[in-house]
Every structure is written in structure tokens, then in C-alpha cells.
Amino acid sequence: MFSRRGFLTAAGAAGVLAELPVRGDALVPDLMELHATVKTVQLLPPDYPTTRIWSYGGGTPGPEIRVAQGSRVQRRFVNGLPQASSVHWHGIRTANSMDGVAGLTQAPVPPGESFDYDFFVRDAGTFWYHAHNRSAEQVARGLHGPLIIDEKTLPDVDRDVVLVLDDWLLEPEGGQLYPEFESRHDRSHAGRLGNFISTNGQSAWTQAAKRHERLRLRLINASSARIFALALVNFEGWVMALDGMPLPAPKAVTEDLLLGPGQRADLIVDVSAGDGEEAFLARIEDNRGYAQATFPVRGVSSTSRRGPPEPFPPNPAMEVTGLDAAKQLRLDMAGGAMGSLRSAVLDGQQAGFRQMAEANQFWAFNGTVGMTQTPLASVAQGETVRVSVSNDTAFPHAMHLHGMHFRTVHADGSLGHLRDTLLSFAGESHEIAFVADNPGDWAFHCHMLSHAASGMMTWIRVQA
Ligand code: C2O
Ligand code: CU
């Protein structure tokens, strides 16, 4: 690939460099930056205090990265933060070295330094990127943004709307982020739940729409622990894709849509409200609806009501086959407040729950707390893997597998939708299956980020 640095070196070797009108900064390779800095933003409504956050590109969410399916994404991550960091491309089937998991796939990038991410995107869909070092703090401080991969042929919609759902735990006085990111309570219970909920970094996100207009809503749950229950008001809608992967057939939205941390949903919605009314994406809490995104209806779109949308084209090489000969794994989740975990292996030694709690660790996978030198399992590239996931805790968890999507295997043997994050409620058991086609060391953790930091983090090695 042509690079300015390569060009100048070649020109220098030819002895003409001195004659070129070169500015010093022309020697910097032509790479787009993703710059993380401490920023002060108006997160709360006007008239309230500003909030100091950690930001990609100066705002929250970070800049939308949007490319066409099959293209190359190159970003120089520049760390202007007071803490080491790294960037993970959630749901993208990257090469392992580009997965951005500090301590597993790369060293954390120290303050003042940079790291060049460079990968191709095979799959169209709605993805996101976020910090993956001390994530419970860094993502909660605001380090995330949307990563949108356009289909080769764009679906027939009037508008494409990206909605990043988030929550923030703010001090009532002063509006700053509550500075305890390792709270024992958050870690041992449901995680860091915010007291201020935002869409695209705003308290009351609003965009005008027209009657009969067809919108594609890309919902991204970027919060650290909140499960969003969502409903459509004055829209007729269909779920088109989950976690970036298209459903074989659009599914009419007839009940609340649950979105766990890390999960995404692509909807197509038709505005059914009349001129002068409002349509909403609503958040449901205790049977009451709250506006998560508001669409005041102004005017009538030229097209009248349409029929159900065509499904999105499937992404390549996504079949989960070989289930009968699959390698069988187990993931028993245990621990937390009101749980039954008595002891687990902590730093190589059996520790009682009390001892774990003293180390601010509360959870275990298969009786082991957190990251270990050896993976949960080592599997051969191409092998089909089944994992029985049981939630023997009093809380929901959102298990995210890096590098590969999986399907739920239902009791009758049928397969669920492709996902990269599994929402599992207290007492539930699931079986998931995936083809280990992506070599490398892949993180497998709860996306309730306080849980990941206090025991719910492991990894799977796919051997080439
Ligand atoms: Cu979205 Cu390991 O994370
Ligand atoms: Cu969890």
C-alpha cells in the first residue's frame, strides 16, 4: 500500500529529498487517529453542570467509524489518558493480534503512546468499539463508539439512525462520575448501574421523522451493566439483525426487546404516528415506559405504508455444523451476593468466599476466579465447540465470546440466532455452539464489566 513515509524514503534514496518542499509532519504516516483524552462535556441537560469524561475524539459516544463490508479499518489509537488502555472491536472477526484485549492479545498502551489497529471487516452489521483495559472503569468513563459496516447493497430505508444506549453513575452534587470504579457492592451485585441514562450521549435524544417514513435503528447497549428492555411506540417494527448478524427472516416486534450490555439490535421501523404526533423508542422499567429516543412526526413521507422488509443478506461462513462430533465444554457461573459459592481457586490457591471478598473478587467460572495462565479450553481450528453455560448465581450475566459468533442450541436440537453475547438470567442454563474457525487466544467474559473485573473472565485458545 502506498504510504507517504515509504515514498519519502524512496525519494531520499534517489537523492531528491532536499529539493522537495517537505514539511516535517509529512513524515507521519497517513493514518487516521482515534485519540483518547480527558474531556469535559455537557452530558446532563443544559443548566446542569458539565461532566469530566474519558473520550474518543472529544465527545461521547466516540466518532462513528463506518466502512463498507470487506474493507480495511486502520486507526492509530493515541493514548492521551492518565491510564494505559487498548481498543477492542466488539463482535468483529478480526485477526487475534488486532482484538485489543490488554494482557491477552496485546500489551496495554501506556499514556502518551500509540498502537496501530489494522484489520479487514468480513461482516456487515452494527458493531462497536470500546476500551479493553480496566474496562469497568474506562468504558464507564465513556470510552466507546459505534462501528458500522455497511452492506454491499444497502437495505431500502429512508434513514439510518445509530442509537448508542448508555448509563452513567453520577454524583448528584456536581454531576461528576462517581469515582469509585471498584465498588464492592457493584462488583458483588448487578454491576455498576447508572443513575443517568443517555442516548448518543444526550438525556433527551430527539430527531424529527415523517409519517410512513422507514428508519433503520441500530441499537447498541454500551452501558456497563444495564439490561435495556425496549419497546416501540407509534412505530411498526421488525428485528432485522442481532449482534451484527442478520436474522434469516425479519421478526415483527411484538414484545419487549431485551438488550444486555454489549448486545446490539438492528430494527427496521415504519412511523405509524400521524403528523404532529410523536413516535418513541421506549425503555420499559417496572411496567412504565420512558422515552429513550423521541421522534416528533412532522409531515408525511412521500411513500405510503409499506409491507414487511426484505431480510438482510447473511454474512459469510456462519454455519454452525458438526454439532454431533463437537467438543463439549462447561461454564458454571457461580458467586456474587446471595450466591452459594463457598470457595474457589484464586491466584492458584483454594480460597474461601470471605478471602475472595477481601481481595474484592466475587465470582468464579468452573470454580476458578478470573484470568489464569491456562485457557478454559484449548481447541483445534475448525473444531465445533459446545458450551453448557449455567448461571448458578442470583444475578443476570452477559457472556461475550471474542472472535467468533455462536448459536444457542435449544433443548429440541434447533439452533438460535447468531450472537456474540449471551444474556443469562439467574438460575438459567443454556448451551451455545460455535465453530472455532478463528485462531488465537479469545477472551470469554461477562460484559457486566464489574463482574469481569471480579472473577468472570476467562479465555479460549484456538490452535492453528
Ligand atoms: Cu465488548 Cu471483551 O468486550
Ligand atoms: Cu456478570
Side-chain angles (χ1 to χ4, degrees):
M1 217 199 81
F2 177 79
S3 89
R4 218 173 277 167
R5 172 173 279 171
F7 171 73
L8 287 175
T9 309
V16 295
L17 184 60
E19 296 166 48
L20 292 170
V22 184
R23 290 185 305 126
D25 64 2
L27 289 165
V28 176
D30 199 1
L31 225 155
M32 284 178 76
E33 283 188 354
L34 187 65
H35 201 151
T37 53
V38 179
K39 268 277 163 194
T40 299
V41 297
Q42 188 70 53
L43 192 59
L44 291 166
D47 301 336
Y48 284 82
T50 54
T51 306
R52 204 159 42 250
I53 63 158
W54 291 6
S55 152
Y56 293 121
T60 184
E64 176 180 301
I65 299 178
R66 184 184 285 256
V67 298
Q69 184 174 13
S71 42
R72 186 174 183 176
V73 175
Q74 289 175 289
R75 284 294 183 284
R76 169 161 298 170
F77 167 61
V78 181
N79 187 358
L81 302 168
Q83 234 177 49
S85 193
S86 64
V87 186
H88 168 56
W89 315 91
H90 183 124
I92 299 285
R93 298 191 280 169
T94 55
N96 192 250
S97 60
M98 291 292 129
D99 200 43
V101 179
L104 183 65
T105 69
Q106 69 168 94
V109 182
E113 296 191 17
S114 69
F115 186 92
D116 292 351
Y117 291 97
D118 184 355
F119 54 90
F120 287 87
V121 286
R122 305 164 71 184
D123 302 317
T126 301
F127 301 92
W128 63 304
Y129 60 92
H130 62 80
H132 216 300
N133 188 47
R134 301 177 59 106
S135 315
E137 171 172 355
Q138 298 193 358
V139 176
R141 283 189 184 272
L143 289 175
H144 59 75
L147 172 55
I148 308 298
I149 318 295
D150 280 328
E151 290 80 12
K152 294 209 169 94
T153 309
L154 290 175
D156 181 20
V157 295
D158 298 318
R159 215 140 31 94
D160 186 316
V161 183
V162 178
L163 299 172
V164 179
L165 317 182
D166 199 0
D167 69 355
W168 308 76
L169 187 57
L170 303 178
E171 292 176 323
E173 306 286 319
Q176 298 309 312
L177 279 157
Y178 185 71
E180 176 53 271
F181 293 94
E182 296 178 1
S183 139
R184 309 169 75 77
H185 182 272
D186 291 351
R187 286 187 171 212
S188 58
H189 291 73
R192 183 181 169 106
L193 290 165
N195 51 9
F196 172 71
I197 297 181
S198 65
T199 296
N200 295 342
Q202 297 169 31
S203 59
W205 187 92
T206 301
Q207 190 174 85
K210 293 190 167 84
R211 176 165 167 80
H212 293 319
E213 208 177 1
R214 172 161 282 187
L215 314 179
R216 176 181 189 163
L217 304 184
R218 300 178 183 263
L219 313 180
I220 302 172
N221 183 349
S223 75
S224 298
R226 180 174 298 272
I227 299 166
F228 281 89
L230 301 162
L232 298 172
V233 178
N234 288 339
F235 280 122
E236 184 182 11
W238 296 266
V239 181
M240 303 301 295
L242 293 168
D243 294 354
M245 298 300 161
L247 269 48
K251 189 175 167 290
V253 179
T254 51
E255 49 186 34
D256 292 359
L257 177 70
L258 292 184
L259 219 52
Q263 294 187 317
R264 288 91 61 217
D266 282 60
L267 310 182
I268 281 188
V269 298
D270 292 348
V271 179
S272 53
D275 191 1
E277 298 178 346
E278 283 175 318
F280 300 96
L281 174 71
R283 180 179 79 251
I284 310 296
E285 271 171 41
D286 301 324
N287 275 318
R288 302 175 67 149
Y290 300 85
Q292 185 71 38
T294 304
F295 298 85
V297 179
R298 302 283 176 268
V300 176
S301 134
S302 50
T303 41
S304 57
R305 191 168 179 277
R306 310 181 208 190
E310 291 294 312
F312 294 165
N315 282 315
M318 276 302 190
E319 292 75 35
V320 177
T321 55
L323 284 167
D324 294 342
K327 178 163 192 139
Q328 187 72 53
L329 304 178
R330 204 163 51 75
L331 188 82
D332 296 337
M333 305 190 269
M338 299 168 282
S340 56
L341 185 66
R342 292 280 155 267
S343 73
V345 177
L346 172 67
D347 297 328
Q349 288 185 12
Q350 199 69 33
F353 192 73
R354 209 147 126 235
Q355 239 178 307
M356 285 172 57
E358 277 160 18
N360 213 2
Q361 298 292 311
F362 298 95
W363 309 92
F365 289 153
N366 300 345
T368 295
V369 179
M371 283 302 260
T372 46
Q373 290 300 314
T374 49
L376 177 80
S378 188
V379 305
Q381 185 178 358
E383 205 170 353
T384 301
V385 181
R386 295 169 77 141
V387 192
S388 300
V389 181
S390 69
N391 180 350
D392 185 20
T393 80
F395 294 92
H397 303 287
M399 283 303 302
H400 172 45
L401 176 64
H402 286 222
M404 291 149 293
H405 277 63
F406 54 80
R407 291 182 189 273
T408 303
V409 186
H410 296 130
D412 65 0
S414 65
L415 295 176
H417 299 307
L418 283 162
R419 301 224 61 153
D420 61 35
T421 304
L422 171 79
L423 194 51
S424 161
F425 288 93
E428 281 187 349
S429 293
H430 289 93
E431 185 172 35
I432 61 170
F434 65 97
V435 178
D437 56 2
N438 201 355
D441 295 342
W442 301 106
F444 186 30
H445 64 89
C446 181
H447 224 288
M448 271 84 173
L449 298 171
S450 301
H451 294 173
S454 58
M456 299 195 116
M457 168 75 95
T458 186
W459 57 292
I460 291 177
R461 171 165 288 167
V462 179
Q463 225 128 21

